[in-house]
Amino acid sequence: MAGCCEVLRPFLFEYDTPRIVLIRSRKVGLMNRAVQLLILAYVIGCYYPHFAEVEIEWVFVWEKGYQEMDSVVSSVTTKVKGVAMTNTSKLGFRIWDVADYVIPPQEENSLFIMTNMGQPRGACFHLFFFFQIPDKTTVCTSDANCTAGSAGTHSNGVSTGRCVPFDGSVKTCEVAAWCPVEDDTHVPKPAFLRAAENFTLLVKNNIWYPKFNFSKRNILPNITTTYLKSCIYDARTDPFCPIFRLGDIVENAGHSFQDMAVEGGIMGIQVNWDCNLDRAAALCLPKYSFRRLDTRDVDHNVSPGYNFRFAKYYNDFAGNEQRTLIKAYGIRFDIIVFGKAGKFDIIPTMINIGSGLALLGVATVLCDVIVLYCMKKRYYYREKKYKYVEDYEQGLASE
Ligand SMILES: *[C@@H]1O[C@H](CO)[C@@H](O)[C@H](O)[C@H]1NC(C)=O
């Protein structure tokens, strides 16, 4: 009980009030100013490397402490150009243009370019009664083994309930399915449309910063029609040309186009519109960068790439519905537009000056700790800093 009071007494019955102690010491004085200077340097300015050249700017500026910020609003349209020719035994001589390899014809901020194709097996293209390739689940000995109407998630069709000979003595359950059953066992290599490497992609991007009512597009005002017809993006020579060679996009991200074309994948085209709108609008320029977005693990290469199936339907001379099934492998290009713009504004400026000044208080705390706890003469300073005053009556009594 007494111990409790010992703790509570100073808390309840004592009051401390700050008083100013002026320490006339060169060491302490200089230390205090040095710490304040460091904090001021952090708040106001520092050096930072900016794209190889070293600029001196206020940190205040770097962190845009004096600016109102806004995020970009954007719209993207794309256009691909390029024609390829293939000549295979299955499909014969074929020409592939934009309408064939861009699927679907238009998408939002994204486009898929087919670079490879699963090859159909057999020559039939209609609804057909078909035996299955024998494996554990499809082999049968009599009709009793095959349940009519059942369909496994991995089978190509619906079981008819009949057990039919496949090859010699082996029998499999018959299925009703679209014919031909696709050959899913191997991916054609090299890629069927490997010429897509030389196709070009035009990205048209309009951006808007609503807070500042600032809009711009990536086809810059100084780009002429003739330049746009012939240029290809290159980070060093043509950094503002909005036309990209597909092969360059993949190589810029550190991958091989021909490898990626076989099983497909996803590429990100990043457009960065970070702008300081206190400067001229002409200095607000897009920066392009490229990244492969589907991760490719060398050790765990299960279900790699990107593919999907689609069919084209038509009627033959007899009026039967037929279809051509295409398993498309390809590269999806996602165009990711991001950025922030800033412009001078008085409110964030005041807030940041205020918080900067508050940070200066750290210098006092630091110097107090050093003077009162770390220095050799700490007892002397402590004695000077704290003055113990008794309650008025007690003080009179003790005198
Ligand atoms: C792309 O174009 C270059 C130069 O015209 C040519 O040498 C190369 O073979 C082409 N690539 C493909 C995959 O066709």
Side-chain angles (χ1 to χ4, degrees):
M1 196 59 205
C4 166
C5 282
E6 286 309 305
V7 176
L8 268 180
R9 182 173 296 153
F11 178 72
L12 287 176
F13 304 134
E14 286 177 13
Y15 167 67
D16 49 24
T17 175
R19 71 169 177 164
I20 310 268
V21 177
L22 191 76
I23 299 177
R24 286 220 174 88
S25 152
R26 247 185 236 178
K27 213 199 263 174
V28 180
L30 284 175
M31 185 175 66
N32 178 41
R33 292 292 171 231
V35 173
Q36 281 183 338
L37 211 71
L38 275 176
I39 292 169
L40 218 65
Y42 168 75
V43 172
I44 298 174
C46 85
Y47 290 81
Y48 74 95
H50 183 65
F51 286 45
E53 74 220 63
V54 176
E55 280 182 34
I56 305 170
E57 277 211 34
W58 308 108
V59 150
F60 210 47
V61 171
W62 187 26
E63 309 237 335
K64 300 288 194 299
Y66 65 96
Q67 284 187 330
E68 176 84 42
M69 301 301 286
D70 195 10
S71 304
V72 75
V73 176
S74 113
S75 71
V76 172
T77 58
T78 57
K79 189 181 275 181
V80 187
K81 282 196 176 151
V83 183
M85 185 202 80
T86 59
N87 200 351
T88 60
S89 55
K90 282 242 173 69
L91 291 164
F93 178 79
R94 263 207 81 165
I95 293 291
W96 298 82
D97 70 6
V98 182
D100 299 312
Y101 58 72
V102 177
I103 311 159
Q106 67 140 356
E107 271 181 282
E108 198 183 343
N109 296 341
S110 177
L111 84 160
F112 176 85
I113 293 177
M114 183 165 80
T115 54
N116 207 1
M117 238 171 88
Q119 302 292 321
R121 179 170 49 201
C124 60
F125 293 98
H126 47 91
L127 197 61
F128 204 71
F129 294 109
F130 207 74
F131 48 76
Q132 287 180 291
I133 308 298
D135 68 26
K136 262 192 257 127
T137 55
T138 60
V139 168
C140 57
T141 48
S142 72
D143 289 356
N145 298 127
C146 303
T147 323
S150 75
T153 39
H154 295 289
S155 89
N156 297 298
V158 177
S159 176
T160 59
R162 278 184 296 182
C163 191
V164 293
F166 172 75
D167 182 18
S169 59
V170 183
K171 286 172 144 191
T172 62
C173 292
E174 186 189 56
V175 288
W178 280 99
C179 178
V181 171
E182 83 175 79
D183 183 359
D184 206 7
T185 49
H186 77 281
V187 185
K189 203 171 178 182
F192 187 66
L193 279 172
R194 54 193 165 279
E197 184 178 36
N198 282 338
F199 294 174
T200 60
L201 168 65
L202 165 66
V203 175
K204 289 201 246 179
N205 176 210
N206 286 278
I207 60 124
W208 181 41
Y209 284 109
K211 246 185 221 169
F212 314 122
N213 199 16
F214 176 87
S215 52
K216 193 154 184 175
R217 59 188 207 138
N218 70 334
I219 300 176
L220 302 173
N222 59 350
I223 290 181
T224 61
T225 317
T226 22
Y227 176 72
L228 202 60
K229 273 201 179 116
S230 60
C231 76
I232 294 284
Y233 172 87
D234 186 300
R236 250 165 277 127
T237 59
D238 294 277
F240 302 115
C241 176
I243 299 175
F244 306 90
R245 195 177 150 268
L246 299 191
D248 291 346
I249 295 176
V250 179
E251 269 145 40
N252 264 316
H255 292 267
S256 145
F257 184 88
Q258 292 308 338
D259 282 354
M260 197 172 176
V262 172
E263 281 175 326
I266 302 168
M267 286 295 312
I269 300 173
Q270 294 161 303
V271 190
N272 182 358
W273 283 95
D274 277 345
C275 289
N276 182 352
L277 296 181
D278 288 332
R279 297 192 194 164
L283 293 173
C284 181
L285 296 166
K287 266 187 231 88
Y288 301 100
S289 53
F290 311 95
R291 239 189 112 75
R292 185 164 181 176
L293 298 179
D294 62 320
T295 48
R296 227 179 132 69
D297 233 334
V298 181
D299 307 326
H300 188 75
N301 204 10
V302 175
S303 189
Y306 178 41
N307 67 70
F308 59 88
R309 298 177 180 86
F310 68 99
K312 290 175 178 167
Y313 297 87
Y314 52 96
N315 289 344
D316 64 8
F317 290 125
N320 299 318
E321 191 183 35
Q322 305 214 350
R323 77 168 190 186
T324 308
L325 178 71
I326 295 169
K327 182 174 185 182
Y329 297 85
I331 303 173
R332 199 178 75 201
F333 293 90
D334 289 350
I335 295 130
I336 302 154
V337 182
F338 62 102
K340 275 201 163 74
K343 203 171 189 174
F344 174 80
D345 194 82
I346 190 73
I347 292 168
T349 310
M350 296 313 278
I351 291 172
N352 280 289
I353 289 177
S355 58
L357 289 179
L359 213 56
L360 283 181
V362 173
T364 314
V365 173
L366 207 74
C367 288
D368 268 9
V369 167
I370 291 170
V371 168
L372 299 175
Y373 297 99
C374 305
M375 283 178 75
K376 236 186 260 161
K377 284 185 266 172
R378 56 184 178 267
Y379 296 108
Y380 171 73
Y381 287 128
R382 240 186 261 180
E383 199 181 296
K384 291 289 176 200
K385 178 160 167 75
Y386 298 115
K387 187 170 170 64
Y388 301 93
V389 179
E390 298 305 318
D391 209 355
Y392 185 64
E393 289 107 46
Q394 281 175 19
L396 283 184
S398 67
E399 257 174 31

